[in-house]
Amino acid sequence: MTDHTGDTARDNVAAHGGQGPRRGNLFARFIGATELDTRLLGMVGALALIWVGFHVYGELANGFGAFLTPRNLWNLTVQTSSIGIMACGMVLVIITRNIDLSVGSILGFCAIVMGVVQVNILPQYLGLGHPLIWIVAIICGLLVGTAIGAFHGALIAYGGIPAFIVTLGGLLVWRGAAFLVARGETISPVDPTFSLLGGGPYGSIGAAGSWIVGILGCLAVLALIAFGRRQRVRFHFPLRPVWAEAVLAALGCALVIGAVLLVNAYHWPRGIVNRYAEAEGITIPEGGLEISHGFAIPVLILLAVAIVMSVVMRMTRFGRYVYAIGGNPEAAELAGIDSRMMTVKIFAIMGFLAGLSAVVASARLNSATNALGELDELFVIAAAVIGGTSLAGGVGTIYGAILGALVMQSLQTGMVLVGFDAAMQRVVVGGVLVLAVWLDILYRRRSK
Amino acid sequence: MTRTQSQTSRQAGGTPLVELRDISIAFGGVQAVDRVSLDLYPGEVVGLLGHNGAGKSTLIKILSGAYRKDSGEILINGERAEIDSPADARRYNIETIYQTLALADNLDAASNLFLGRELTTPLGFVDDARMEAETRKILARLNPNFRKFSEPVSALSGGQRQSVAIARAVYFNAKILIMDEPTAALGVHETKMVADLIQELKAQGLGIFLISHDTREMMELCDRVSVMKNGQMIGTERVEDVTEDDILSMIIMGRNPKREAVPA
């Protein structure tokens, strides 16, 4: 604690503002002025490497690079949603030095509950296709997920049972329960409105809707930067140079607009266009009818979850206490924080998000099976950890976890596209997880 | 001057700020604190001395709400106080600087200073900018060299961490301050800073419990010293009535030579 020797060196680093290794004058100045997280840049770099790598490999090995196409990238965003939604909750769990191995099974159980409610129970009373069916089913699923999570949290906090054991038990119990509820049957098809939440041509918001989302996104980026600057002026804190603010604003808006252009560049398959045109009584013009997908609904759900959870983590007392408990449980307790109740709430949020993930996953499959979400817990934990959440507690971000989920899914998708078989995929994913954590440990050691 | 003030307040039979009466607590079969009584007056510094495991920190943690006493009572300003949690203690304006400092290493100075008592915007969000501004203000007074406001406290030196812990206690207008080994991890210069601060707070009328192993330091900083051994109170003496040797023998032998020298 009293390491006086290191102080001057650290003070010098601090005087230049920000952390992280500094190499090359221009790059260092750019990072210093924009206050960008070097770790974040590293992850974006890794992601770019994976994407370009698979694309080039596809070109060389198969004569066709399938990765960097609107179709694949659009699919990638949809496939990332389910894991990404749960990773947002896993960040909180891991920050507070716990683990949740049961999320995949909770997902499966919630999906079966929602399936039974919307296919076997509600149509008897409301009639098939009643507009309330999908809403009631979702509420049931989310309530069940939240209740299971809170129950796990209570066993951990008040029963004193380690989270590893409680959720390992939960992994088996809820998977088994999912089988028992539906006697092992697959429940399908789900309610048509419900199935839109899984994406697909009809479950996307189209070109115009995507532009509206994009414009709102750009406005949000600008508002955030302006608000941050105003706060700093108000309290006389050091300001970023104006050019750095401009670069950040331009980068943020470019990213948003790029995403809109990408999802709008992926058009509906011809068969679906023909069926749609027939149903709506539209005559297809000479050159063919091009209908853009736009953002898929599950992606927007993930986006909403990410925004809400980021606000919770950065701007509420609850989020502050999550970090405090992770950093020093004893200090949090002495500061009057009820860490047991916090644990219950955190696991309840995790359960809720597993329920929401179940909505997306079963809607996408248009059915609920008791095997849904198997091994998801490992992908979710891997996403959070690759995204920089420290298993030692106290460190982690929502955006990191989502980037982590994107990395995991990119690897998975990329390997499928270049034709790796399932066994090889597991070998690579497992190896990458260990490698990513090792790189993270090296990074943290150096920046200390 | 402050010393005489507190003495007169005590001798005039004023109400003590804190009165601990017959406090006991046991952990398993060990009687960690055994019917201990102690009081503290406004503007007074009372030192607690004793070996490791004598029960000083345990006694103090009962007052700060970290432990619940088995029996006995606590009076604040002459009135019975129920202190069952750290939050209760804070309501009575009792602030504690723990030996471990009780800082969340991953959070910055402002987040630690306001932990559990965050300033919020009208919408209920934490107001980081205002908290940092307040933190800058109070640390400018306590430790003018403090600069690292946006870094986690794990990046701070021992003295800087101590400044944050002290700032936390001072900022919230403590009436009763508990300092557990406040100078154990500090250099000469920083120790002097803490000593000056104690004098300043004393002059403002705070009552301070000070725990330390350094007998000489205690003789300088305290008005009275209490010695504990094996969970029991050996005795409480005014510092001008005893020598350092007297105190040492109380700590080591568990006897009060002062009382034994005077025939009953």
Side-chain angles (χ1 to χ4, degrees), chain B:
Chain B
M1 200 181 74
T2 44
R3 178 165 291 177
T4 41
Q5 268 174 11
S6 69
Q7 268 178 31
T8 43
S9 135
R10 187 151 52 91
Q11 280 156 0
T15 323
L17 202 52
V18 183
E19 211 180 336
L20 301 171
R21 282 188 192 159
D22 290 327
I23 303 286
S24 295
I25 188 171
F27 296 111
V30 183
Q31 195 68 36
V33 173
D34 189 7
R35 279 170 292 132
V36 167
S37 298
L38 184 64
D39 56 10
L40 177 71
Y41 287 81
E44 188 186 33
V45 180
V46 170
L48 267 176
L49 282 154
H51 280 307
N52 288 330
K56 307 164 301 207
S57 289
T58 310
L59 178 67
I60 257 16
K61 280 189 170 167
I62 290 172
L63 182 60
S64 69
Y67 294 150
R68 275 192 215 184
K69 60 188 185 318
D70 294 338
S71 63
E73 48 179 10
I74 300 171
L75 284 82
I76 308 283
N77 291 320
E79 283 171 36
R80 234 189 113 105
E82 295 302 327
I83 300 178
D84 292 329
S85 71
D88 287 342
R90 287 176 163 189
R91 267 197 287 284
Y92 288 107
N93 292 321
I94 301 171
E95 293 289 337
T96 311
I97 299 164
Y98 293 96
Q99 188 176 358
T100 55
L101 299 183
L103 299 174
D105 276 338
N106 54 337
L107 300 180
D108 61 17
S111 301
N112 268 293
L113 203 155
F114 288 94
L115 191 58
R117 291 178 282 198
E118 288 77 8
L119 301 178
T120 51
T121 62
L123 289 174
F125 293 122
V126 291
D127 194 342
D128 279 317
R130 198 150 59 93
M131 288 194 280
E132 186 175 332
E134 291 292 315
T135 307
R136 280 171 188 264
K137 241 186 272 169
I138 187 152
L139 278 174
R141 209 185 91 206
L142 294 176
N143 185 354
N145 297 322
F146 196 97
R147 292 278 181 279
K148 297 180 184 171
F149 290 98
S150 49
E151 282 177 67
V153 295
S154 59
L156 306 184
S157 70
Q160 290 169 330
R161 291 163 60 88
Q162 187 80 40
S163 307
V164 176
I166 292 176
R168 172 159 62 182
V170 176
Y171 179 83
F172 290 97
N173 297 319
K175 297 268 178 356
I176 300 150
L177 187 57
I178 301 167
M179 302 172 100
D180 193 350
E181 302 263 9
T183 57
L186 301 187
V188 180
H189 176 71
E190 288 156 333
T191 303
K192 172 77 168 57
M193 208 178 73
V194 173
D196 290 345
L197 179 73
I198 289 175
Q199 291 305 326
E200 190 192 323
L201 296 174
K202 210 171 116 113
Q204 291 171 13
L206 271 76
I208 300 174
F209 279 121
L210 192 60
I211 297 181
S212 173
H213 280 106
D214 186 339
T215 319
R216 181 164 305 144
E217 184 185 73
M218 293 291 255
M219 296 289 280
E220 279 170 24
L221 292 175
C222 300
D223 300 295
R224 287 185 292 153
V225 288
S226 294
V227 177
M228 288 183 72
K229 189 177 169 72
N230 298 333
Q232 291 178 325
M233 184 60 80
I234 304 302
T236 304
E237 298 293 340
R238 290 191 301 167
V239 287
E240 54 269 43
D241 297 345
V242 284
T243 62
E244 224 180 300
D245 285 344
D246 292 337
I247 294 177
L248 281 175
S249 79
M250 284 166 81
I251 295 171
I252 297 163
M253 320 278 279
R255 283 202 311 262
N256 188 342
K258 191 103 177 52
R259 300 293 167 195
E260 284 168 8
V262 184

Side-chain angles (χ1 to χ4, degrees), chain A residues 182-193:
Chain A
R183 296 168 306 278
E185 291 166 13
T186 295
I187 304 167
S188 85
V190 295
D191 181 83
T193 316

Side-chain angles (χ1 to χ4, degrees), chain A residues 386-399:
Chain A
I386 286 179
T389 310
S390 162
L391 286 167
V395 180
T397 56
I398 299 295
Y399 67 77

Side-chain angles (χ1 to χ4, degrees), chain A residues 75-222:
Chain A
N75 275 321
L76 189 63
T77 61
V78 177
Q79 287 158 349
T80 304
S81 306
S82 172
I83 299 290
I85 289 169
M86 288 194 282
C88 290
M90 192 60 80
V91 171
L92 276 66
V93 171
I94 297 180
I95 286 178
T96 50
R97 307 184 180 189
N98 283 319
I99 196 80
D100 193 337
L101 300 174
S102 65
V103 292
S105 297
I106 296 178
L107 186 157
F109 184 71
C110 290
I112 287 289
V113 167
M114 285 187 289
V116 169
V117 167
Q118 67 186 311
V119 176
N120 298 352
I121 298 178
L122 285 180
Q124 291 178 32
Y125 301 99
L126 297 173
L128 203 62
H130 191 279
L132 269 180
I133 288 181
W134 68 281
I135 297 174
V136 175
I138 288 175
I139 291 173
C140 287
L142 296 180
L143 281 180
V144 167
T146 310
I148 293 173
F151 176 60
H152 286 174
L155 287 178
I156 294 159
Y158 296 98
I161 314 171
F164 184 87
I165 296 302
V166 170
T167 58
L168 183 62
L171 168 87
L172 296 169
V173 167
W174 303 114
R175 184 63 68 196
F179 187 92
L180 293 177
V181 168
R183 296 168 306 278
E185 291 166 13
T186 295
I187 304 167
S188 85
V190 295
D191 181 83
T193 316
F194 183 89
S195 75
L196 294 183
L197 300 174
Y202 292 109
S204 304
I205 60 171
S210 299
W211 276 115
I212 292 172
V213 170
I215 289 165
L216 288 177
C218 288
L219 289 179
V221 167
L222 297 177

Side-chain angles (χ1 to χ4, degrees), chain A residues 201-202 204-208 263-270 272-277 280 282 284-285 288-294:
Chain A
Y202 292 109
S204 304
I205 60 171
V263 293
N264 282 350
Y266 177 39
H267 298 127
W268 286 18
R270 189 133 308 145
I272 294 181
V273 171
N274 290 342
R275 240 176 295 152
Y276 175 79
E280 301 282 313
I282 311 170
I284 296 176
L289 186 62
E290 303 263 281
I291 304 177
S292 294
H293 276 79

